[in-house]
Amino acid sequence: MPRARTRRHEPEPYFDHKVIIIGAGFGGVGMAIALKRARIDDFVILERSEGVGGTWYANTYPDVAVDVPGIVYQFSFAKNPDWTRTFPKGAEVRAYIDGLVERYGLDDHLRLGHDVVCRQWDEDGQRWEVSLADGRTLTAQYVVSAIGAFVEPRRPDIPGLDDFEGTIIQSQRWDHDYDFTGKRAAVIGTGATSVQLVPKLAEQAGHLEVFQRRAIWVFAKPDFPIPRVVRFAFRRLPFLQSVIRGIVAVLVEVGLVGITVYGKQVAPLTLVPNWACRLFLFSQVRDRELRKKLTPTYGFGCKRPSVSNVYYRTFTREDVDLVTEPIERVTPAGIRTADGVEHPIDVLVLATGFEMSQSPEPYRRRPLRGREGFDLADFYENNRAKAYEGVCMPQLPNHFMVFGPFAWSGSSWHVMVENAMRIVTTVITEADHRGATSVAVTEEANDRFFEFISERGKHTLMHGKACVNANSYYIDKHGDFGFLRPTTAYQSTRASKRIPMSDFEFRTVDRVPARRRRGLAPVAASDGA
């Protein structure tokens, strides 16, 4: 009689996925592509929205577009020969991201509508527990945060805002059904969003008032359609696009990074773009008092400048007013300024920017807790931000950031993403090769990088007299140049290719058997996870 076959007991796996990527913008999509290239297929991308694109999915306000040439606003390994304009509109950028998802087969890894509310490192299990808004918890050996720089829309702390009886529209959550025709509209904020948005609203509204706290430097935008013959040439001769991309990247690097990072050392040169913008403003606005209001009181490069051919000119229209008096409060029917003037409005547009990912607030609401009680919100609140190559911290093992302190060189977002892709896959591959259960950058290496970066930051334009009145988000609450990396893109790329593994501590420990997740059911395939 044959012996009865006993069923072999399979132990519960230590984690649901090897890697969890948080965010499906350029950072998340790029990281997913990097993992696939490294033959790491056990990963998911958790995205709280119902589509990919990150900021390009959220921002659909009128005339939203890239503010750097499209030829440098793309991955070096996935160049798009079909940009129709030098500065592509938002719809084209979203189409490019959708194309990346399809081209690299990322659909099966996407988990849309999955809102991460907490990340907790489990030292015993050597894994991350990632909690979702719907109560479920996923576990992973590694987590990559690709939430970007701009996390949540910032709602201004203005008295009476909740009492307004008209319509309030946040620029990041645009209401496409609202009809501005004949309405009295107001915009609060004069940053990069307003530079694009205000001219379009002026064409639609019956009357528009723009409330400005600080003026922004704006220069002419060399935006023109790209002829089909050029696009055809880019498709047939990819090296041609690579050459032009390299040239444009250098120009952007000089214009943005060169002025901002090295402006203090070559102060006289910063006057060139300053006067160029002033001349452009003079060509658009002949009224002296209006020009004075539109001229920043800080130097060029202290805040991110913008480009537009119509923004300045919009304020010369009879149905558009620029208001520079401080806002005292929002009333049920409009806005009252400090001079006592009531500004009646029907619709209020908030173009007041975002909360930054390197501030404590986002992590108070969505905690990130690491080894030995480390809490990222407390760290950002009480300490100078440090992150090795802008990617990892000693207290967060098996955790990486696409955009951390000192990560962005400023010339191209995609350079930063590709550098992070390179570092993360290199470290994970090395950890697998060593059989390590966890890996974290050493305190010594982290401090060494911080000293290198902070020393360079002291010599940036940000710490010069010209930037005293800028209130730039480039500078964090501790006075560090934390939002940007004060080096060239070449330096950051070169560093990402030469990461010494001696800068990391690899641990191999016996995991405590996986615990049941407090009755939380695993994510079922039927609901997209």
Side-chain angles (χ1 to χ4, degrees):
M1 184 174 180
R3 180 182 297 178
R5 299 178 66 182
T6 59
R7 186 174 181 180
R8 183 179 178 184
H9 175 69
E10 295 290 340
E12 185 180 352
Y14 288 114
F15 35 74
D16 298 308
H17 302 283
K18 185 178 183 67
V19 184
I20 286 178
I21 301 170
I22 302 175
F26 271 118
V29 169
M31 190 57 62
I33 294 171
L35 292 177
K36 281 219 161 190
R37 286 177 154 186
R39 301 182 183 278
I40 300 172
D41 291 315
D42 182 14
F43 68 88
V44 290
I45 311 169
L46 305 183
E47 169 56 52
R48 63 180 174 179
S49 301
E50 296 301 326
V52 300
T55 188
W56 293 105
Y57 181 84
N59 285 280
T60 61
Y61 58 82
D63 215 33
V64 60
V66 176
D67 61 359
V68 295
I71 199 167
V72 297
Y73 198 76
Q74 57 186 339
F75 289 120
S76 63
F77 56 83
K79 299 182 189 69
N80 178 19
D82 293 315
W83 296 124
T84 63
R85 306 190 65 83
T86 53
F87 290 78
K89 302 294 185 183
E92 280 195 72
V93 178
R94 291 196 300 275
Y96 173 71
I97 299 173
D98 288 337
L100 291 173
V101 171
E102 181 178 359
R103 176 177 173 181
Y104 291 95
L106 303 181
D107 272 317
D108 291 341
H109 300 272
L110 279 170
R111 306 294 183 261
L112 302 177
H114 284 53
D115 189 7
V116 174
V117 296
C118 183
R119 284 166 272 171
Q120 177 77 50
W121 171 249
D122 175 9
E123 185 69 27
D124 291 337
Q126 293 283 284
R127 65 182 185 176
W128 281 94
E129 296 181 349
V130 179
S131 301
L132 305 178
D134 61 10
R136 294 174 296 168
T137 298
L138 293 175
T139 57
Q141 184 177 11
Y142 299 98
V143 167
V144 181
S145 175
I147 61 175
F150 310 109
V151 184
E152 300 282 357
R154 178 184 292 131
R155 189 177 174 89
D157 185 18
I158 301 175
L161 189 58
D162 292 334
D163 299 328
F164 182 58
E165 296 176 353
T167 300
I168 297 179
I169 300 176
Q170 195 97 30
S171 62
Q172 300 91 341
R173 296 165 181 155
W174 197 256
D175 183 357
H176 292 274
D177 294 327
Y178 187 84
D179 185 4
F180 282 84
T181 304
K183 298 294 197 308
R184 297 169 301 178
V187 174
I188 296 178
T190 51
T193 296
S194 285
V195 169
Q196 297 179 345
L197 175 64
V198 163
K200 286 296 181 182
L201 285 188
E203 295 175 359
Q204 301 172 24
H207 187 269
L208 176 65
E209 290 183 296
V210 180
F211 290 80
Q212 172 185 282
R213 184 170 56 173
R214 288 180 181 84
I216 182 173
W217 287 109
V218 180
F219 193 61
K221 187 177 185 179
D223 186 28
F224 50 81
I226 299 176
R228 290 187 178 182
V229 65
V230 174
R231 286 181 271 158
F232 177 81
F234 284 167
R235 284 193 297 271
R236 293 292 184 178
L237 304 170
F239 75 89
L240 178 62
Q241 189 181 23
S242 297
V243 170
I244 296 177
R245 181 176 183 269
I247 295 172
V248 175
V250 170
L251 294 175
V252 173
E253 183 96 354
V254 171
L256 290 179
V257 181
I259 295 297
T260 301
V261 174
Y262 300 104
K264 190 176 180 180
Q265 296 156 290
V266 290
L269 292 181
T270 63
L271 297 178
V272 175
N274 185 308
W275 284 106
C277 287
R278 288 174 180 268
L279 287 173
F280 176 63
L281 173 58
F282 180 79
S283 72
Q284 298 254 309
V285 178
R286 306 315 293 265
D287 181 271
R288 180 178 298 179
E289 288 302 314
L290 181 56
R291 279 204 313 274
K292 184 177 180 181
K293 290 182 178 180
L294 290 168
T295 302
T297 57
Y298 54 87
F300 183 91
C302 298
K303 300 179 75 169
R304 187 175 177 88
S306 195
V307 287
S308 174
N309 296 325
V310 292
Y311 176 72
Y312 283 147
R313 190 186 308 152
T314 299
F315 293 100
T316 65
R317 295 173 55 126
E318 292 184 359
D319 55 358
V320 175
D321 290 324
L322 177 66
V323 182
T324 57
E325 284 290 330
I327 295 175
E328 180 181 286
R329 67 176 296 109
V330 176
T331 66
I335 295 175
R336 182 188 306 147
T337 47
D339 56 0
V341 175
E342 295 278 350
H343 302 262
I345 57 174
D346 302 306
V347 54
L348 174 59
V349 175
L350 302 178
T352 47
F354 293 82
E355 290 181 351
M356 308 304 295
S357 62
Q358 294 172 25
S359 62
E361 287 75 17
Y363 303 102
R364 295 289 182 207
R365 293 189 297 270
R366 302 167 187 271
L368 172 52
R369 303 186 179 104
R371 189 173 268 165
E372 299 176 353
F374 175 82
D375 185 288
L376 189 59
D378 290 340
F379 179 77
Y380 279 152
E381 181 71 41
N382 302 309
N383 302 276
R384 299 174 71 183
K386 299 180 182 180
Y388 180 78
E389 294 295 334
V391 172
C392 47
M393 297 179 175
Q395 308 91 337
L396 298 174
N398 291 11
H399 186 281
F400 307 94
M401 297 171 284
V402 174
F403 177 81
F406 306 108
W408 185 20
S409 71
S411 60
S412 170
W413 188 262
H414 297 74
V415 170
M416 177 198 68
V417 174
E418 290 187 40
N419 290 343
M421 291 162 56
R422 190 176 297 114
I423 294 171
V424 172
T425 52
T426 297
V427 174
I428 290 179
T429 300
E430 180 68 18
D432 285 349
H433 177 72
R434 299 188 185 200
T437 54
S438 68
V439 56
V441 65
T442 66
E443 291 279 2
E444 179 185 2
N446 197 44
D447 289 342
R448 186 175 66 248
F449 175 74
F450 180 71
E451 290 169 7
F452 162 72
I453 287 296
S454 59
E455 183 61 30
R456 287 196 169 216
K458 294 176 184 177
H459 304 292
T460 63
L461 184 67
M462 296 296 105
H463 293 288
K465 294 181 180 179
C467 295
V468 171
N469 297 321
N471 191 36
S472 175
Y473 60 67
Y474 291 163
I475 302 295
D476 65 22
K477 63 178 292 183
H478 300 288
D480 288 321
F481 193 62
F483 190 80
L484 290 180
R485 181 188 183 111
T487 73
T488 63
Y490 172 78
Q491 190 281 331
S492 63
T493 299
R494 185 169 176 266
S496 72
K497 294 178 179 179
R498 300 185 177 189
I499 296 296
M501 290 300 101
S502 59
D503 283 352
F504 294 86
E505 179 190 17
F506 296 86
R507 294 186 186 180
T508 304
V509 300
D510 292 331
R511 296 184 177 93
V512 173
R515 298 167 292 179
R516 289 192 176 277
R517 293 191 289 278
R518 296 173 292 281
L520 299 176
V523 183
S526 60
D527 63 6

